[in-house]
Amino acid sequence: TQLLEQSPQFLSIQEGENLTVYCNSSSVFSSLQWYRQEPGEGPVLLVTVVTGGEVKKLKRLTFQFGDARKDSSLHITAAQPGDTGLYLCATRDFNKFYFGSGTKLNVKP
Amino acid sequence: ETGVTQSPTHLIKTRGQQVTLRCSSQSGHNTVSWYQQALGQGPQFIFQYYREEENGRGNFPPRFSGLQFPNYSSELNVNALELDDSALYLCASRPSGTGVSGNTIYFGEGSWLTVV
């Protein structure tokens, strides 16, 4: 059983479209991270959210942590081909880190 | 650039052989963890080392073992390789603690292992 469920698994959109990807769980988290991974590279940290209801913005990316700290979303406005990659959410449980299976995003020019 | 470096970047091994992968952590980070990422999947936690001792382990058999050295660098050893061990192996480092900084991990670019 996956601790973190991500949806959708795959997303293929045209440049300029908006999109939202989700990370859900039945567990409560003290914090949650979002990473982007490009082919052949390790994941790169985008943001860490800590407080329930927190919203963080990183240029065209908006991250939200659910009020109950069980879920999170990532919204991209006006997607660009450079946004293509695997988006992963992750959390820590004591000395273990858990990742979702990711959303693979392809933005076509 | 995360400051975490891994070697080798790619390698091919035969089933039954043993492999050692290496990782240098980011300066100031005393906690290192290793992950296995199969194609199309998210990283799966293998284990974590802190002060040269394993202090967290995922669902991996004992043939996956590791070491951490006094300079915080680390090794992942896999014995009796199986075809399903083919994956990207990622090393990550972080400072110790439970605050925001301790919850954020920084990855290397990984070592691609192919078992034939």
Side-chain angles (χ1 to χ4, degrees):
Chain A
T1 305
Q2 279 275 79
L3 181 64
L4 295 168
E5 299 285 346
Q6 289 192 246
S7 61
Q9 254 188 305
F10 301 96
L11 197 51
S12 184
I13 61 172
Q14 292 294 137
E15 181 176 1
E17 291 184 13
N18 301 331
L19 67 116
T20 302
V21 299
Y22 300 92
C23 176
N24 295 294
S25 178
S26 56
S27 302
V28 177
F29 304 120
S30 59
S31 68
L32 191 133
Q33 296 84 44
W34 283 94
Y35 292 80
R36 181 171 68 213
Q37 184 177 23
E38 298 185 22
E41 298 185 8
V44 175
L45 178 69
L46 296 174
V47 77
T48 299
V49 287
V50 178
T51 307
E54 181 177 6
V55 176
K56 282 192 173 180
K57 292 195 173 186
L58 188 65
K59 297 183 181 176
R60 294 175 293 100
L61 278 60
T62 301
F63 304 85
Q64 184 156 10
F65 201 13
D67 290 342
R69 292 185 287 124
K70 291 183 177 182
D71 54 82
S72 182
S73 63
L74 158 59
H75 181 79
I76 302 179
T77 304
Q80 299 177 0
D83 296 327
T84 293
L86 179 67
Y87 288 81
L88 296 157
C89 62
T91 193
R92 176 182 176 182
D93 178 17
F94 193 53
N95 283 337
K96 299 180 184 180
F97 280 81
Y98 295 96
F99 284 79
S101 55
T103 292
K104 192 167 185 179
L105 173 64
N106 180 37
V107 182
K108 295 175 282 188
Chain B
E1 188 65 47
T2 64
V4 180
T5 58
Q6 293 187 242
S7 64
T9 53
H10 294 82
L11 70 166
I12 300 173
K13 289 286 188 177
T14 303
R15 189 171 50 181
Q17 283 188 315
Q18 179 264 345
V19 68
T20 297
L21 307 177
R22 295 178 175 82
C23 172
S24 293
S25 60
Q26 187 180 117
S27 177
H29 287 183
N30 55 15
T31 303
V32 175
S33 50
W34 286 90
Y35 299 79
Q36 179 194 67
Q37 187 176 23
L39 209 58
Q41 300 293 317
Q44 297 293 312
F45 176 78
I46 302 175
F47 45 55
Q48 174 177 280
Y49 275 81
Y50 170 67
R51 290 188 174 180
E52 303 175 53
E53 289 195 4
E54 183 185 300
N55 70 345
R57 191 175 183 95
N59 294 327
F60 281 83
R63 59 189 185 86
F64 286 78
S65 63
L67 284 173
Q68 187 182 29
F69 301 99
N71 65 354
Y72 306 137
S73 66
S74 178
E75 286 182 356
L76 164 65
N77 300 290
V78 187
N79 294 322
L81 284 167
E82 301 175 359
L83 297 179
D84 285 349
D85 295 333
S86 295
L88 176 66
Y89 287 85
L90 294 161
C91 169
S93 74
R94 66 178 179 87
S96 61
T98 56
V100 172
S101 62
N103 286 338
T104 303
I105 51 178
Y106 298 88
F107 285 91
E109 295 193 345
S111 294
W112 282 100
L113 171 65
T114 301
V115 183
V116 298

